[in-house]
Amino acid sequence: MNLEKIKSDIEAAVPGCRLQIILNGSPSGQHSLLLGREHAVEIARFLRDDPELRLDYCSNVTGVDWLDSETSEKVKVKKLVDGVEQEVEEVRKTRTPGYLEAVYHLYSMEKKHGPLVLRLRPENRTDHVTLPSLTPVWRSAEFQEREIFDLYGIIFEGHPDLRRILMWDEFEDHPMRKDYVEPNDYEYEPTPHDAVLEKSKQARAIEGQR
Amino acid sequence: MDLELKEALSRQGIFTTTLEELYNWGRRSSVWPLTFGLACCAIEMIATSMARYDLARFGAEVFRPSPRQADLMIVAGTVTKKMAPQVVRLYNQMPEPKYVIAMGACAISGGPFKQGYNVLKGIDRYIPVDVHIPGCPPRPEALMDAFITLQKKIDAQSLTGADRPRHLNAEEPSEFIVPQYGAHDLEPPKNVKLWNIITKNIPNGPGTASDNEPRKD
Amino acid sequence: MEMIAPAAQELIPNNAAATGDDALLEISLGPHHPSTHGVFRMDVVLDGERVVKLKPVFGYLHRNHEKIAEGASYLASMPYTDRLDYIGSLTNNWAYALAVEKLAGIQIPERAEYIRVITAELTRLQNHASTIGFLTQEMGASGSPLMYSFREREKILDLFESLTGSRMMCNYMRFGGCRVDLPAGWLDQTRKVVADFPGFLDEFERLLEGNEILLARTQGVGVLSRELAIQAGVTGPILRASGVNYDIRKVDRYGIYDRFDFRVPLGEHGDVYDRYMVRMLEMRESLKILEQALRDIPSGPIMDTKTKIRGFRPKAGEAYGRIESPKGELGFFLISDGSPNPYRYRVRPPSLINLTVLEDMCLGSNVSDTIVIFGTIDIVLGEVDR
């Protein structure tokens, strides 16, 4: 399947949609297509019903959490040092804000081809975490989107039954996020080592303060 | 009863016994386990009750689905925090005398999944365990060994005296706290009374800390 | 009766309607229930004996496999994959190894490919055998059929044990090949087991196929339509029982499955009986593959020499690899950021997604049929909740 062609097909079928090809550096060569949120459901319908593509089977749906990242690069800049213009190396830092992501892997049972990888991104990872649900298009996303809601906290609009699936209803955190801190119940470990040793030391220090 | 006299009588064809022996013999020879599988170890538990290993040889083939009819709980598999309240509730529903075998690394300590946020680090935080079997999963032979160990333990229990088992002591509890689902963890995260008994002999273990005493502040 | 009546009243959502004919009863099947294959729970609303609503409740075995794997190296996750679908650990190994091999572009030697096919097909045999045993147990044939199937399962587990050192948690495959070579005489033992297995299938078929109770309990029960099966992403024997020809061994031709001559059994009606029959026929096809693989297996290395197992750091990127596990499409989705640990590690569990259609299949049937329908989906909780 040619991703460029699929992209132009979608653009012809759903006018005004935002699409971007995300390249994948691994030898697997599974490049993906980033969809704009506004037209995601329309695009999904097109992919499912288009007689050439017929991606009728949504296999895998999952979330990914990308934290804020900082990349630093050395840049040569011309600067006035002591009144003389010199070329000085400067470290420039670029901060990429973190985001959440939902990834869909599509196959076709009729045409027996695939996978086509779709990505959807909410605006940020704190307060605007909504995405349109693709469960009305592929029902196989039902439990998997619930799982993303449970573990990553992405709210899927239009999902028929969006509840926590793996953790209990009273639970408040989203444990698969990279910055989740789990409850410290390591108060005793027969042979503590590495990270567990640190945790048990901390726990004992807290115990001592009380 | 005098052991020599008993033996002399048995050589004459007269069999004598004590109430204690009879009572323990009866109980150890027909332990009814609860049909209670949690994870991988449950498959080995099923394999143990099948033809090749045949747990029936030890009088324990009657797996009961209802806790009201069972007297042995084999905690076979990972106890998650979501499942822990149900495990304790099932234990509370079993009639005394009741025993617990913690089968496999997960039931003992969380095992390979110990780092998990939803994994209980050992079922003995909430209920008392009689026999622990290590292994991931333990082989059927290991489960049978644990079972024989439990039978020996039942055999050695006395009916009277200070060291009589829990079910014959009216002051000992037969029900334990059922944890509640909290916002971040189970409430309480462990049964402090029970956990202290287990860990008090370990140097620097939590049992030595003043967990159980009222806080001064 | 006085004892039971008040308690039953409490469960009914609307007490006022409790005396009328339209009284609904809400019950919770599980998480401790002898026929839910572990700690699965169904919230069922009953109208008399008829199911009018059924909501599965998950998470009682959610042991954070994905989170743990994101903090561990690629190699360290291999033994955890054994514990996903704990009936068939070798297929899980293969799916994970395949995903990592895609991620890093690794080719594996010929002999390792053959060993993978042999172990995976043996896993399929023992999985289907025990599934059918459990299914008949759920229909009320308590004990005997399960004993028959576990007798056969033990023979295959013996092979696994002599090969990998463990009955259930094999931890055998590595990215780039397999961990150890076959022990002496293993192929002959396997040939013997494979030669004897049709006898078991014949015996089972003789006992079950014409059995009137089995036919009455399975035919026309829990029908799953072809369209719904595709729409809900159902895979594995359940999908094929609904008549969809989709077997990843044929579609992706991963490994060396294109070299073997085998057919994909398909059902016609999509009911419980078809699912049972598809599994029985799949075992015969697996035996065919095994015979060919055992005949053709070459000698040679079992590990790709260029692959570094320890300190393995694939390039940044992502890959989704999938295989046909006994339960359906088992996939692993990995994202690497160039570090020794995967940045994202995701398991696509066939058991969980196959449960999407549970409510649709059960609506309108009796509670006793619900248990049978649930049994034919063939789930393992370790994989559903991960």
mmCIF file of all heavy atoms in Angstrom, chain A residues 151 166-168 170-173 175 180 182-183 185-189 204 207 210, chain B residues 81-82 114-115 117-118 121 125 181-185 190 202 204 206 211 215:
data_model
loop_
_atom_site.group_PDB
_atom_site.id
_atom_site.type_symbol
_atom_site.label_atom_id
_atom_site.label_comp_id
_atom_site.label_asym_id
_atom_site.label_seq_id
_atom_site.Cartn_x
_atom_site.Cartn_y
_atom_site.Cartn_z
ATOM 1 N N LEU A 151 -6.135 4.035 31.170
ATOM 2 C CA LEU A 151 -4.710 4.047 31.510
ATOM 3 C C LEU A 151 -4.012 5.338 31.091
ATOM 4 O O LEU A 151 -2.979 5.687 31.640
ATOM 5 C CB LEU A 151 -4.016 2.847 30.866
ATOM 6 C CG LEU A 151 -4.589 1.476 31.252
ATOM 7 C CD1 LEU A 151 -3.809 0.377 30.578
ATOM 8 C CD2 LEU A 151 -4.569 1.255 32.749
ATOM 9 N N LEU A 166 -9.923 -1.518 33.274
ATOM 10 C CA LEU A 166 -9.032 -2.415 34.010
ATOM 11 C C LEU A 166 -8.955 -2.048 35.491
ATOM 12 O O LEU A 166 -8.961 -2.923 36.339
ATOM 13 C CB LEU A 166 -7.631 -2.394 33.393
ATOM 14 C CG LEU A 166 -7.549 -2.980 31.983
ATOM 15 C CD1 LEU A 166 -6.169 -2.832 31.416
ATOM 16 C CD2 LEU A 166 -7.951 -4.436 31.972
ATOM 17 N N MET A 167 -8.859 -0.780 35.795
ATOM 18 C CA MET A 167 -8.796 -0.391 37.203
ATOM 19 C C MET A 167 -10.219 -0.206 37.727
ATOM 20 O O MET A 167 -11.175 -0.133 36.970
ATOM 21 C CB MET A 167 -8.000 0.909 37.369
ATOM 22 C CG MET A 167 -6.583 0.834 36.839
ATOM 23 S SD MET A 167 -5.606 -0.478 37.564
ATOM 24 C CE MET A 167 -5.267 0.178 39.181
ATOM 25 N N TRP A 168 -10.357 -0.091 39.044
ATOM 26 C CA TRP A 168 -11.692 0.076 39.623
ATOM 27 C C TRP A 168 -12.188 1.505 39.394
ATOM 28 O O TRP A 168 -11.422 2.417 39.121
ATOM 29 C CB TRP A 168 -11.668 -0.279 41.108
ATOM 30 C CG TRP A 168 -10.613 0.412 41.915
ATOM 31 C CD1 TRP A 168 -10.693 1.640 42.490
ATOM 32 C CD2 TRP A 168 -9.324 -0.086 42.259
ATOM 33 N NE1 TRP A 168 -9.533 1.938 43.150
ATOM 34 C CE2 TRP A 168 -8.675 0.902 43.037
ATOM 35 C CE3 TRP A 168 -8.640 -1.269 41.999
ATOM 36 C CZ2 TRP A 168 -7.383 0.740 43.542
ATOM 37 C CZ3 TRP A 168 -7.354 -1.412 42.506
ATOM 38 C CH2 TRP A 168 -6.753 -0.428 43.265
ATOM 39 N N GLU A 170 -13.319 3.807 41.319
ATOM 40 C CA GLU A 170 -12.929 4.868 42.246
ATOM 41 C C GLU A 170 -11.509 5.361 41.990
ATOM 42 O O GLU A 170 -11.088 6.359 42.562
ATOM 43 C CB GLU A 170 -13.018 4.370 43.707
ATOM 44 C CG GLU A 170 -14.432 4.062 44.181
ATOM 45 C CD GLU A 170 -14.863 2.655 43.827
ATOM 46 O OE1 GLU A 170 -14.156 1.977 43.036
ATOM 47 O OE2 GLU A 170 -15.927 2.227 44.318
ATOM 48 N N PHE A 171 -10.766 4.642 41.177
ATOM 49 C CA PHE A 171 -9.362 4.976 40.942
ATOM 50 C C PHE A 171 -9.270 6.305 40.192
ATOM 51 O O PHE A 171 -10.091 6.601 39.325
ATOM 52 C CB PHE A 171 -8.730 3.859 40.105
ATOM 53 C CG PHE A 171 -7.244 3.820 40.135
ATOM 54 C CD1 PHE A 171 -6.569 3.425 41.276
ATOM 55 C CD2 PHE A 171 -6.504 4.174 39.018
ATOM 56 C CE1 PHE A 171 -5.189 3.377 41.293
ATOM 57 C CE2 PHE A 171 -5.128 4.131 39.037
ATOM 58 C CZ PHE A 171 -4.470 3.736 40.182
ATOM 59 N N GLU A 172 -8.289 7.134 40.555
ATOM 60 C CA GLU A 172 -8.242 8.482 39.982
ATOM 61 C C GLU A 172 -7.093 8.704 39.010
ATOM 62 O O GLU A 172 -7.118 9.636 38.227
ATOM 63 C CB GLU A 172 -8.154 9.518 41.116
ATOM 64 C CG GLU A 172 -9.491 9.687 41.830
ATOM 65 C CD GLU A 172 -9.410 10.624 42.999
ATOM 66 O OE1 GLU A 172 -8.312 11.165 43.258
ATOM 67 O OE2 GLU A 172 -10.436 10.809 43.660
ATOM 68 N N ASP A 173 -6.044 7.886 39.077
ATOM 69 C CA ASP A 173 -4.854 8.149 38.260
ATOM 70 C C ASP A 173 -4.952 7.472 36.895
ATOM 71 O O ASP A 173 -5.857 6.698 36.634
ATOM 72 C CB ASP A 173 -3.611 7.632 38.986
ATOM 73 C CG ASP A 173 -3.512 8.191 40.378
ATOM 74 O OD1 ASP A 173 -3.959 9.334 40.558
ATOM 75 O OD2 ASP A 173 -3.010 7.500 41.280
ATOM 76 N N PRO A 175 -2.431 5.183 35.132
ATOM 77 C CA PRO A 175 -1.141 4.579 35.452
ATOM 78 C C PRO A 175 -0.183 4.379 34.291
ATOM 79 O O PRO A 175 1.014 4.261 34.524
ATOM 80 C CB PRO A 175 -1.516 3.242 36.086
ATOM 81 C CG PRO A 175 -2.929 3.021 35.767
ATOM 82 C CD PRO A 175 -3.553 4.322 35.477
ATOM 83 N N TYR A 180 3.370 8.834 35.986
ATOM 84 C CA TYR A 180 2.553 8.288 37.078
ATOM 85 C C TYR A 180 3.458 7.789 38.206
ATOM 86 O O TYR A 180 4.469 7.129 37.954
ATOM 87 C CB TYR A 180 1.697 7.150 36.543
ATOM 88 C CG TYR A 180 1.049 6.284 37.590
ATOM 89 C CD1 TYR A 180 0.003 6.769 38.358
ATOM 90 C CD2 TYR A 180 1.484 4.979 37.826
ATOM 91 C CE1 TYR A 180 -0.596 5.982 39.322
ATOM 92 C CE2 TYR A 180 0.891 4.187 38.780
ATOM 93 C CZ TYR A 180 -0.150 4.696 39.522
ATOM 94 O OH TYR A 180 -0.732 3.912 40.476
ATOM 95 N N GLU A 182 3.501 5.389 41.384
ATOM 96 C CA GLU A 182 2.688 4.331 41.965
ATOM 97 C C GLU A 182 2.747 4.383 43.485
ATOM 98 O O GLU A 182 3.692 4.929 44.044
ATOM 99 C CB GLU A 182 3.150 2.972 41.456
ATOM 100 C CG GLU A 182 4.574 2.643 41.773
ATOM 101 C CD GLU A 182 5.014 1.417 40.992
ATOM 102 O OE1 GLU A 182 5.308 1.541 39.793
ATOM 103 O OE2 GLU A 182 5.077 0.366 41.596
ATOM 104 N N PRO A 183 1.712 3.859 44.161
ATOM 105 C CA PRO A 183 1.745 3.869 45.626
ATOM 106 C C PRO A 183 2.936 3.069 46.129
ATOM 107 O O PRO A 183 3.257 2.008 45.600
ATOM 108 C CB PRO A 183 0.415 3.205 46.008
ATOM 109 C CG PRO A 183 -0.039 2.478 44.802
ATOM 110 C CD PRO A 183 0.488 3.244 43.640
ATOM 111 N N ASP A 185 4.318 0.633 48.230
ATOM 112 C CA ASP A 185 4.045 -0.418 49.213
ATOM 113 C C ASP A 185 5.212 -1.392 49.294
ATOM 114 O O ASP A 185 5.044 -2.572 49.459
ATOM 115 C CB ASP A 185 2.719 -1.142 48.929
ATOM 116 C CG ASP A 185 2.486 -1.352 47.455
ATOM 117 O OD1 ASP A 185 3.426 -1.160 46.676
ATOM 118 O OD2 ASP A 185 1.354 -1.712 47.090
ATOM 119 N N TYR A 186 6.410 -0.853 49.179
ATOM 120 C CA TYR A 186 7.614 -1.682 49.257
ATOM 121 C C TYR A 186 8.194 -1.646 50.659
ATOM 122 O O TYR A 186 9.376 -1.435 50.808
ATOM 123 C CB TYR A 186 8.666 -1.142 48.303
ATOM 124 C CG TYR A 186 8.478 -1.583 46.883
ATOM 125 C CD1 TYR A 186 7.696 -0.878 46.008
ATOM 126 C CD2 TYR A 186 9.103 -2.734 46.430
ATOM 127 C CE1 TYR A 186 7.540 -1.280 44.711
ATOM 128 C CE2 TYR A 186 8.953 -3.142 45.129
ATOM 129 C CZ TYR A 186 8.170 -2.406 44.279
ATOM 130 O OH TYR A 186 8.023 -2.809 42.986
ATOM 131 N N GLU A 187 7.356 -1.759 51.707
ATOM 132 C CA GLU A 187 7.966 -1.552 53.011
ATOM 133 C C GLU A 187 8.873 -2.694 53.422
ATOM 134 O O GLU A 187 9.710 -2.550 54.270
ATOM 135 C CB GLU A 187 6.926 -1.273 54.089
ATOM 136 C CG GLU A 187 6.090 -2.451 54.511
ATOM 137 C CD GLU A 187 4.868 -2.588 53.660
ATOM 138 O OE1 GLU A 187 5.026 -3.011 52.505
ATOM 139 O OE2 GLU A 187 3.769 -2.297 54.129
ATOM 140 N N TYR A 188 8.731 -3.833 52.796
ATOM 141 C CA TYR A 188 9.644 -4.920 53.136
ATOM 142 C C TYR A 188 9.972 -5.738 51.911
ATOM 143 O O TYR A 188 9.106 -6.147 51.150
ATOM 144 C CB TYR A 188 9.049 -5.842 54.207
ATOM 145 C CG TYR A 188 9.888 -7.056 54.382
ATOM 146 C CD1 TYR A 188 11.198 -6.948 54.827
ATOM 147 C CD2 TYR A 188 9.412 -8.309 54.031
ATOM 148 C CE1 TYR A 188 12.008 -8.050 54.940
ATOM 149 C CE2 TYR A 188 10.211 -9.418 54.150
ATOM 150 C CZ TYR A 188 11.509 -9.277 54.602
ATOM 151 O OH TYR A 188 12.304 -10.372 54.710
ATOM 152 N N GLU A 189 11.216 -5.966 51.741
ATOM 153 C CA GLU A 189 11.689 -6.762 50.605
ATOM 154 C C GLU A 189 12.814 -7.626 51.143
ATOM 155 O O GLU A 189 13.738 -7.117 51.775
ATOM 156 C CB GLU A 189 12.190 -5.817 49.523
ATOM 157 C CG GLU A 189 12.982 -6.446 48.433
ATOM 158 C CD GLU A 189 12.120 -6.893 47.271
ATOM 159 O OE1 GLU A 189 10.898 -6.730 47.361
ATOM 160 O OE2 GLU A 189 12.671 -7.409 46.321
ATOM 161 N N ARG A 204 11.318 3.852 54.808
ATOM 162 C CA ARG A 204 11.707 3.765 56.211
ATOM 163 C C ARG A 204 11.989 5.143 56.794
ATOM 164 O O ARG A 204 11.706 5.399 57.956
ATOM 165 C CB ARG A 204 12.920 2.856 56.360
ATOM 166 C CG ARG A 204 12.557 1.654 57.201
ATOM 167 C CD ARG A 204 13.649 0.649 57.192
ATOM 168 N NE ARG A 204 13.195 -0.541 56.474
ATOM 169 C CZ ARG A 204 14.008 -1.457 56.029
ATOM 170 N NH1 ARG A 204 15.305 -1.342 56.167
ATOM 171 N NH2 ARG A 204 13.525 -2.508 55.433
ATOM 172 N N GLU A 207 8.751 6.541 57.616
ATOM 173 C CA GLU A 207 8.264 5.843 58.804
ATOM 174 C C GLU A 207 8.931 6.430 60.047
ATOM 175 O O GLU A 207 8.310 6.598 61.081
ATOM 176 C CB GLU A 207 8.585 4.355 58.668
ATOM 177 C CG GLU A 207 7.724 3.476 59.495
ATOM 178 C CD GLU A 207 6.388 3.186 58.802
ATOM 179 O OE1 GLU A 207 6.073 3.794 57.762
ATOM 180 O OE2 GLU A 207 5.678 2.366 59.318
ATOM 181 N N ARG A 210 7.560 9.866 61.433
ATOM 182 C CA ARG A 210 6.236 9.921 62.068
ATOM 183 C C ARG A 210 6.340 9.862 63.581
ATOM 184 O O ARG A 210 7.068 9.071 64.122
ATOM 185 C CB ARG A 210 5.381 8.767 61.573
ATOM 186 C CG ARG A 210 4.766 9.070 60.234
ATOM 187 C CD ARG A 210 3.965 7.895 59.808
ATOM 188 N NE ARG A 210 3.455 8.094 58.443
ATOM 189 C CZ ARG A 210 3.091 7.091 57.671
ATOM 190 N NH1 ARG A 210 3.186 5.859 58.099
ATOM 191 N NH2 ARG A 210 2.614 7.311 56.469
ATOM 192 N N LYS B 81 -4.792 -5.906 43.058
ATOM 193 C CA LYS B 81 -5.486 -5.077 44.046
ATOM 194 C C LYS B 81 -6.972 -5.056 43.775
ATOM 195 O O LYS B 81 -7.773 -4.922 44.677
ATOM 196 C CB LYS B 81 -4.903 -3.669 44.025
ATOM 197 C CG LYS B 81 -3.540 -3.638 44.685
ATOM 198 C CD LYS B 81 -2.907 -2.287 44.657
ATOM 199 C CE LYS B 81 -1.515 -2.391 45.269
ATOM 200 N NZ LYS B 81 -0.724 -1.184 45.037
ATOM 201 N N LYS B 82 -7.329 -5.189 42.504
ATOM 202 C CA LYS B 82 -8.763 -5.218 42.200
ATOM 203 C C LYS B 82 -9.407 -6.497 42.708
ATOM 204 O O LYS B 82 -10.580 -6.520 43.020
ATOM 205 C CB LYS B 82 -8.976 -5.068 40.691
ATOM 206 C CG LYS B 82 -10.421 -4.793 40.322
ATOM 207 C CD LYS B 82 -10.570 -4.334 38.894
ATOM 208 C CE LYS B 82 -12.041 -4.087 38.578
ATOM 209 N NZ LYS B 82 -12.240 -3.564 37.231
ATOM 210 N N LYS B 114 5.826 -8.055 40.839
ATOM 211 C CA LYS B 114 5.859 -7.280 42.075
ATOM 212 C C LYS B 114 5.881 -5.775 41.823
ATOM 213 O O LYS B 114 5.347 -5.001 42.607
ATOM 214 C CB LYS B 114 7.096 -7.687 42.877
ATOM 215 C CG LYS B 114 7.116 -7.063 44.241
ATOM 216 C CD LYS B 114 8.143 -7.691 45.125
ATOM 217 C CE LYS B 114 8.089 -7.014 46.461
ATOM 218 N NZ LYS B 114 8.061 -7.923 47.568
ATOM 219 N N GLN B 115 6.523 -5.357 40.713
ATOM 220 C CA GLN B 115 6.613 -3.910 40.471
ATOM 221 C C GLN B 115 5.309 -3.307 39.988
ATOM 222 O O GLN B 115 5.220 -2.102 39.837
ATOM 223 C CB GLN B 115 7.667 -3.632 39.403
ATOM 224 C CG GLN B 115 9.022 -4.154 39.713
ATOM 225 C CD GLN B 115 9.759 -4.512 38.427
ATOM 226 O OE1 GLN B 115 9.762 -3.761 37.477
ATOM 227 N NE2 GLN B 115 10.369 -5.673 38.403
ATOM 228 N N TYR B 117 1.673 -1.717 39.592
ATOM 229 C CA TYR B 117 0.893 -0.823 40.456
ATOM 230 C C TYR B 117 -0.388 -1.459 40.939
ATOM 231 O O TYR B 117 -0.978 -1.025 41.895
ATOM 232 C CB TYR B 117 0.592 0.492 39.712
ATOM 233 C CG TYR B 117 0.029 0.314 38.323
ATOM 234 C CD1 TYR B 117 -1.333 0.143 38.131
ATOM 235 C CD2 TYR B 117 0.860 0.317 37.209
ATOM 236 C CE1 TYR B 117 -1.841 -0.030 36.859
ATOM 237 C CE2 TYR B 117 0.349 0.147 35.934
ATOM 238 C CZ TYR B 117 -1.002 -0.031 35.764
ATOM 239 O OH TYR B 117 -1.511 -0.217 34.512
ATOM 240 N N ASN B 118 -0.853 -2.479 40.218
ATOM 241 C CA ASN B 118 -2.124 -3.096 40.581
ATOM 242 C C ASN B 118 -1.914 -4.468 41.210
ATOM 243 O O ASN B 118 -2.843 -5.238 41.322
ATOM 244 C CB ASN B 118 -3.011 -3.205 39.328
ATOM 245 C CG ASN B 118 -4.428 -3.584 39.639
ATOM 246 O OD1 ASN B 118 -4.940 -3.257 40.703
ATOM 247 N ND2 ASN B 118 -5.068 -4.287 38.733
ATOM 248 N N LYS B 121 1.349 -7.298 46.912
ATOM 249 C CA LYS B 121 2.660 -7.907 47.154
ATOM 250 C C LYS B 121 2.538 -9.017 48.195
ATOM 251 O O LYS B 121 3.136 -8.941 49.271
ATOM 252 C CB LYS B 121 3.661 -6.847 47.595
ATOM 253 C CG LYS B 121 4.235 -6.050 46.438
ATOM 254 C CD LYS B 121 3.512 -4.759 46.218
ATOM 255 C CE LYS B 121 3.926 -4.100 44.924
ATOM 256 N NZ LYS B 121 2.872 -3.243 44.380
ATOM 257 N N ARG B 125 -0.655 -10.300 53.376
ATOM 258 C CA ARG B 125 -0.950 -8.987 53.946
ATOM 259 C C ARG B 125 -2.381 -8.907 54.443
ATOM 260 O O ARG B 125 -2.712 -8.020 55.223
ATOM 261 C CB ARG B 125 -0.756 -7.906 52.905
ATOM 262 C CG ARG B 125 0.688 -7.692 52.641
ATOM 263 C CD ARG B 125 0.941 -6.752 51.522
ATOM 264 N NE ARG B 125 2.361 -6.756 51.285
ATOM 265 C CZ ARG B 125 3.103 -5.667 51.174
ATOM 266 N NH1 ARG B 125 2.549 -4.492 51.247
ATOM 267 N NH2 ARG B 125 4.390 -5.752 51.005
ATOM 268 N N TYR B 181 -11.696 -0.191 47.836
ATOM 269 C CA TYR B 181 -11.034 0.486 46.724
ATOM 270 C C TYR B 181 -10.854 1.964 47.074
ATOM 271 O O TYR B 181 -11.819 2.641 47.392
ATOM 272 C CB TYR B 181 -11.879 0.395 45.449
ATOM 273 C CG TYR B 181 -12.035 -0.996 44.890
ATOM 274 C CD1 TYR B 181 -13.245 -1.439 44.406
ATOM 275 C CD2 TYR B 181 -10.954 -1.861 44.832
ATOM 276 C CE1 TYR B 181 -13.395 -2.694 43.867
ATOM 277 C CE2 TYR B 181 -11.089 -3.118 44.297
ATOM 278 C CZ TYR B 181 -12.307 -3.538 43.823
ATOM 279 O OH TYR B 181 -12.444 -4.794 43.282
ATOM 280 N N GLY B 182 -9.636 2.467 47.006
ATOM 281 C CA GLY B 182 -9.386 3.876 47.277
ATOM 282 C C GLY B 182 -9.097 4.629 45.993
ATOM 283 O O GLY B 182 -9.129 4.070 44.902
ATOM 284 N N ALA B 183 -8.757 5.910 46.144
ATOM 285 C CA ALA B 183 -8.498 6.732 44.967
ATOM 286 C C ALA B 183 -7.168 6.382 44.314
ATOM 287 O O ALA B 183 -6.985 6.540 43.118
ATOM 288 C CB ALA B 183 -8.525 8.199 45.352
ATOM 289 N N HIS B 184 -6.195 5.926 45.122
ATOM 290 C CA HIS B 184 -4.879 5.606 44.560
ATOM 291 C C HIS B 184 -4.441 4.189 44.881
ATOM 292 O O HIS B 184 -3.576 3.647 44.231
ATOM 293 C CB HIS B 184 -3.825 6.580 45.087
ATOM 294 C CG HIS B 184 -4.199 8.011 44.874
ATOM 295 N ND1 HIS B 184 -4.148 8.601 43.646
ATOM 296 C CD2 HIS B 184 -4.669 8.944 45.723
ATOM 297 C CE1 HIS B 184 -4.550 9.865 43.742
ATOM 298 N NE2 HIS B 184 -4.887 10.090 44.999
ATOM 299 N N ASP B 185 -4.994 3.589 45.930
ATOM 300 C CA ASP B 185 -4.520 2.296 46.399
ATOM 301 C C ASP B 185 -5.659 1.660 47.188
ATOM 302 O O ASP B 185 -6.717 2.258 47.355
ATOM 303 C CB ASP B 185 -3.284 2.508 47.289
ATOM 304 C CG ASP B 185 -2.479 1.232 47.439
ATOM 305 O OD1 ASP B 185 -2.884 0.210 46.861
ATOM 306 O OD2 ASP B 185 -1.461 1.259 48.137
ATOM 307 N N LYS B 190 -2.672 -2.798 53.956
ATOM 308 C CA LYS B 190 -2.371 -4.123 54.510
ATOM 309 C C LYS B 190 -3.081 -4.247 55.846
ATOM 310 O O LYS B 190 -3.421 -3.242 56.468
ATOM 311 C CB LYS B 190 -0.866 -4.285 54.700
ATOM 312 C CG LYS B 190 -0.311 -3.332 55.725
ATOM 313 C CD LYS B 190 1.177 -3.242 55.696
ATOM 314 C CE LYS B 190 1.617 -2.113 56.599
ATOM 315 N NZ LYS B 190 2.725 -1.363 56.151
ATOM 316 N N ILE B 202 11.813 -10.476 61.601
ATOM 317 C CA ILE B 202 12.797 -10.090 60.603
ATOM 318 C C ILE B 202 13.467 -8.796 61.043
ATOM 319 O O ILE B 202 12.784 -7.810 61.317
ATOM 320 C CB ILE B 202 12.120 -9.912 59.230
ATOM 321 C CG1 ILE B 202 11.482 -11.229 58.812
ATOM 322 C CG2 ILE B 202 13.108 -9.451 58.187
ATOM 323 C CD1 ILE B 202 10.454 -11.100 57.756
ATOM 324 N N ASN B 204 14.850 -5.293 61.174
ATOM 325 C CA ASN B 204 14.554 -4.085 60.399
ATOM 326 C C ASN B 204 13.333 -4.222 59.501
ATOM 327 O O ASN B 204 13.091 -3.382 58.657
ATOM 328 C CB ASN B 204 15.751 -3.661 59.536
ATOM 329 C CG ASN B 204 16.947 -3.351 60.396
ATOM 330 O OD1 ASN B 204 16.780 -2.816 61.487
ATOM 331 N ND2 ASN B 204 18.118 -3.718 59.924
ATOM 332 N N PRO B 206 9.244 -4.317 58.707
ATOM 333 C CA PRO B 206 8.252 -3.333 59.136
ATOM 334 C C PRO B 206 7.577 -3.730 60.441
ATOM 335 O O PRO B 206 7.070 -2.876 61.162
ATOM 336 C CB PRO B 206 7.247 -3.329 57.990
ATOM 337 C CG PRO B 206 7.431 -4.627 57.322
ATOM 338 C CD PRO B 206 8.852 -5.000 57.494
ATOM 339 N N ASP B 211 4.261 0.215 63.873
ATOM 340 C CA ASP B 211 3.092 0.288 63.003
ATOM 341 C C ASP B 211 1.786 0.193 63.778
ATOM 342 O O ASP B 211 0.821 0.862 63.499
ATOM 343 C CB ASP B 211 3.123 -0.914 62.031
ATOM 344 C CG ASP B 211 3.847 -0.554 60.764
ATOM 345 O OD1 ASP B 211 4.359 0.565 60.709
ATOM 346 O OD2 ASP B 211 3.894 -1.393 59.859
ATOM 347 N N ARG B 215 -0.302 6.343 67.252
ATOM 348 C CA ARG B 215 0.696 7.380 67.006
ATOM 349 C C ARG B 215 0.607 8.441 68.088
ATOM 350 O O ARG B 215 -0.461 8.737 68.605
ATOM 351 C CB ARG B 215 0.431 8.021 65.639
ATOM 352 C CG ARG B 215 0.518 7.018 64.526
ATOM 353 C CD ARG B 215 1.529 7.449 63.477
ATOM 354 N NE ARG B 215 1.897 6.304 62.645
ATOM 355 C CZ ARG B 215 1.158 5.876 61.616
ATOM 356 N NH1 ARG B 215 0.052 6.499 61.288
ATOM 357 N NH2 ARG B 215 1.561 4.831 60.919
#
